[in-house]
Amino acid sequence: MTIMIDVRGVEKSFTLHNQGGASFSVLEAVQLQVVAGECVVLHGQSGAGKSTLLKALYANYAVSSGSIVLRDGEQRVDITTALPRRILALRERTVGYVSQFLRVIPRIPTLQVVMQPLLDLGVDEAVCEDKAKDLLSRLNVPERLWSLSPSTFSGGEQQRVNIARGFIVDYPILLLDEPTASLDAANRQVVVQLINEAKARGAAVVGIFHDEDVREAVADRLVDIRAI
Amino acid sequence: MSNTAQTWQDIEPLLSVQQLSKFYAPGKGCGDVSFDLYPGEVLGIVGESGSGKSTLLNSLSARLAPDAGKVIYRSEQFGELDLYAGEESLRRQLMRSEWGIVHQHAADGLRMNVSAGANIGERLMAVGERHYGDIRARAEQWLQAVEIDSNRIDDKPTQFSGGMQQRLQIARNLVTHPRLIFMDEPTGGLDVSVQARLLDLLRTLVAQLGLSVIIVTHDLAVARLLAHRLMVMRRGEVVESGLTDQVLDDPQHPYTQLLVSSILQN
């Protein structure tokens, strides 16, 4: 079994220099291995550090110590020490991150927003467009919205556009930060299908899900992140 | 950026900056700055007014000789160059061809009393283009690329709005297909709606042309949208650097934390 994510001895603390230097430790001695085709769901109460760990796996947060090794084809990259451009290369084709929030860029139409990550890989435009349309349809984003910028969409519509964008590339590693929060049952079910399809093609998935039905449907294993 | 797992490690930096210092007075200027810039990379330099950002940019772009340190540039035409060890004429040559500079004030980067077409054509002529028809055709093409109606080609920049002037400045720079662009607060002083359009245009052009960019801005939203990585400057020193979203979402240095926490949320 191919280990896609290998987390060893990760610690993370935050120091708020402008609030009296308050310092608090969020992660301590975290160990986690995730293999291809497996979905690990991070479990624990609010504030336990689930999101912090997920962000560290995307190198969005810097860890205080320990190593996070991601598999990139035949290479293994420790993202806690890799150069920024190496991490950006990983994010382009190897590791995807989907949150419930879309970072809207003004003026860009929805279809383009969704297609862009795949276009950036040099994939033929028609292929990207078909895949984007398919994802938007499955996620019940009405076709009349595709040519508009998502900046004026409702929160739920933006969230589904963001999910479509997150699933347009077949990333070998997928990080999901509550992508189903506040979606209705039908759309939650679509996301469950997307996750299961990603697992079936061999993706290693790490996610945070508060809905129990989603968790049941996708998780191979729950990992407890305990509040410290 | 067009990094792939196969090729990313074999590429040499376009620009290598080694312990560059330039001080006007203690704390005024920039000190001991080192970094590499790779092809296709966009580096943002952020920090408040007076932190040394513009001094650094001027020193990097061969417009202000440093007190100490080196800037090595790998030129397409001239090979590896130690910028300040070489002739002034060489630096001028680079600025006309392989480099572009987008100034905060369009009037510093444009000739305000000649037509838009001539502003673009001038750069082409500086690299040896002579055919009038070709030059005019290329100028029209670039006006369209920066979303200026090509029937404005004979108008002077003084007849343009601030946002259009800024876009014309970009067209003037890009017409010679530079590899490295320096930008100093390119969206400063523009209305928010005009800013969004310019940013979107810049982002698209940078990605399409695979440009390397060093952009100075005090606007962290601009930095987030355009830059792959950031250097945070304070009182002439780089206090923090790294991947853009890591620096902005998990700032380590007290000054960066202050900068980030000072942004109004909407």
Side-chain angles (χ1 to χ4, degrees):
Chain A
M1 290 221 264
T2 316
I3 294 179
M4 301 299 291
I5 301 172
D6 194 356
V7 179
R8 289 178 192 266
V10 158
E11 326 233 318
K12 172 66 181 168
S13 59
F14 292 94
T15 304
L16 305 177
H17 292 286
N18 300 300
Q19 292 179 51
S23 184
F24 47 95
S25 175
V26 176
L27 300 174
E28 270 181 15
V30 174
Q31 309 277 93
L32 175 68
Q33 280 80 37
V34 186
V35 299
E38 177 185 36
C39 178
V40 167
V41 171
L42 303 180
H43 194 60
Q45 64 197 78
S46 185
K50 303 184 295 293
S51 249
T52 298
L53 176 59
L54 209 61
K55 284 172 173 156
L57 294 179
Y58 197 58
N60 177 224
Y61 281 6
V63 299
S64 315
S65 64
S67 68
I68 299 173
V69 174
L70 303 185
R71 189 174 183 95
D72 184 24
E74 292 307 303
Q75 297 183 28
R76 291 159 52 82
V77 184
D78 185 349
I79 58 167
T80 64
T81 54
L83 289 173
R85 62 195 201 92
R86 185 69 185 99
I87 290 167
L88 291 173
L90 275 172
R91 288 179 180 178
E92 236 180 354
R93 58 183 70 231
T94 304
V95 51
Y97 184 95
V98 186
S99 73
Q100 51 182 306
F101 305 107
L102 176 69
R103 201 177 280 280
V104 183
I105 299 163
R107 294 214 307 160
I108 318 248
T110 295
L111 193 63
Q112 193 71 30
V113 168
V114 174
M115 281 164 69
Q116 199 61 51
L118 195 57
L119 275 175
D120 289 347
L121 295 181
V123 174
D124 186 66
E125 187 157 354
V127 176
C128 300
E129 197 174 314
D130 285 348
K131 195 163 177 190
K133 286 177 174 170
D134 178 53
L135 281 165
L136 286 168
S137 306
R138 288 181 68 183
L139 286 156
N140 303 303
V141 178
E143 193 170 341
R144 62 191 156 78
L145 297 181
W146 296 357
S147 60
L148 306 176
S149 160
S151 47
T152 55
F153 292 5
S154 74
E157 284 160 349
Q158 286 193 4
Q159 188 180 350
R160 282 176 280 139
V161 170
N162 197 44
I163 293 167
R165 181 180 160 91
F167 280 89
I168 189 102
V169 172
D170 290 336
Y171 299 107
I173 296 172
L174 208 45
L175 309 172
L176 307 173
D177 193 352
E178 297 193 51
T180 53
S182 74
L183 287 184
D184 60 34
N187 282 309
R188 272 208 307 275
Q189 202 46 46
V190 176
V191 177
V192 165
Q193 282 165 12
L194 289 171
I195 295 170
N196 283 331
E197 287 165 24
K199 285 169 61 182
R201 64 166 170 77
V205 182
V206 181
I208 302 169
F209 304 100
H210 282 300
D211 314 293
E212 204 165 327
D213 53 334
V214 175
R215 217 159 45 212
E216 300 268 302
V218 301
D220 294 301
R221 160 161 91 90
L222 293 183
V223 168
D224 240 324
I225 305 289
R226 249 176 265 277
I228 294 165
Chain B
M1 65 204 290
S2 58
N3 269 335
T4 68
Q6 291 76 41
T7 60
W8 72 275
Q9 54 201 344
D10 308 322
I11 301 169
E12 275 192 311
L14 194 63
L15 198 71
S16 292
V17 179
Q18 299 162 7
Q19 292 159 328
L20 195 75
S21 295
K22 173 68 192 178
F23 282 106
Y24 299 101
K28 292 301 289 177
C30 60
D32 200 22
V33 177
S34 299
F35 67 90
D36 288 329
L37 183 77
Y38 287 86
E41 221 175 16
V42 180
L43 171 69
I45 304 176
V46 298
E48 62 199 359
S49 306
S51 58
K53 307 186 298 285
S54 294
T55 303
L56 176 60
L57 194 76
N58 289 339
S59 274
L60 295 173
S61 56
R63 290 174 292 167
L64 182 66
D67 301 333
K70 272 189 195 178
V71 181
I72 307 287
Y73 171 69
R74 288 183 179 79
S75 164
E76 217 165 20
Q77 319 163 63
F78 310 113
E80 189 170 307
L81 295 177
D82 182 342
L83 276 192
Y84 289 100
E87 295 284 319
E88 169 72 19
S89 63
L90 198 64
R91 294 196 285 274
R92 286 175 179 280
Q93 178 69 24
L94 280 180
M95 270 205 247
R96 283 199 300 261
S97 54
E98 292 183 33
W99 290 7
I101 297 176
V102 176
H103 299 265
Q104 177 177 3
H105 302 290
D108 295 334
L110 292 174
R111 299 218 292 141
M112 301 302 276
N113 293 313
V114 304
S115 71
N119 263 287
I120 300 176
E122 189 183 43
R123 256 197 62 120
L124 281 173
M125 285 160 74
V127 294
E129 288 285 344
R130 288 292 175 266
H131 189 281
Y132 177 78
D134 287 351
I135 291 173
R136 194 171 168 90
R138 299 263 299 274
E140 272 180 10
Q141 202 184 319
W142 273 101
L143 283 177
Q144 283 163 10
V146 297
E147 303 172 8
I148 295 174
D149 197 328
S150 54
N151 67 23
R152 302 290 305 267
I153 190 166
D154 295 317
D155 291 349
K156 292 176 182 168
T158 45
Q159 294 163 274
F160 287 0
S161 68
M164 281 169 78
Q165 289 180 3
Q166 218 45 333
R167 281 181 273 134
L168 177 61
Q169 208 194 161
I170 290 162
R172 174 182 160 95
N173 273 287
L174 294 183
V175 70
T176 54
H177 295 291
R179 307 162 77 208
L180 177 57
I181 306 265
F182 299 94
M183 298 185 189
D184 194 357
E185 305 275 8
T187 57
L190 298 176
D191 287 343
V192 178
S193 60
V194 179
Q195 259 193 36
R197 182 175 186 185
L198 186 69
L199 283 174
D200 174 30
L201 181 75
L202 279 175
R203 206 178 55 88
T204 310
L205 288 172
V206 164
Q208 272 172 4
L209 304 171
L211 295 172
S212 301
V213 179
I214 299 181
I215 178 171
V216 159
T217 179
H218 70 274
D219 186 334
L220 297 184
V222 169
R224 190 190 281 272
L225 195 62
L226 290 179
H228 297 128
R229 43 189 264 252
L230 290 185
M231 292 200 313
V232 182
M233 292 193 70
R234 183 193 186 218
R235 293 186 196 148
E237 282 176 16
V238 176
V239 295
E240 186 163 352
S241 66
L243 201 59
T244 296
D245 61 277
Q246 199 179 86
V247 170
L248 295 180
D249 295 340
D250 188 19
Q252 306 293 315
H253 190 276
Y255 177 65
T256 319
Q257 290 187 354
L258 185 65
L259 270 186
V260 170
S261 66
S262 306
I263 305 172
L264 295 172
Q265 309 278 327
N266 61 1

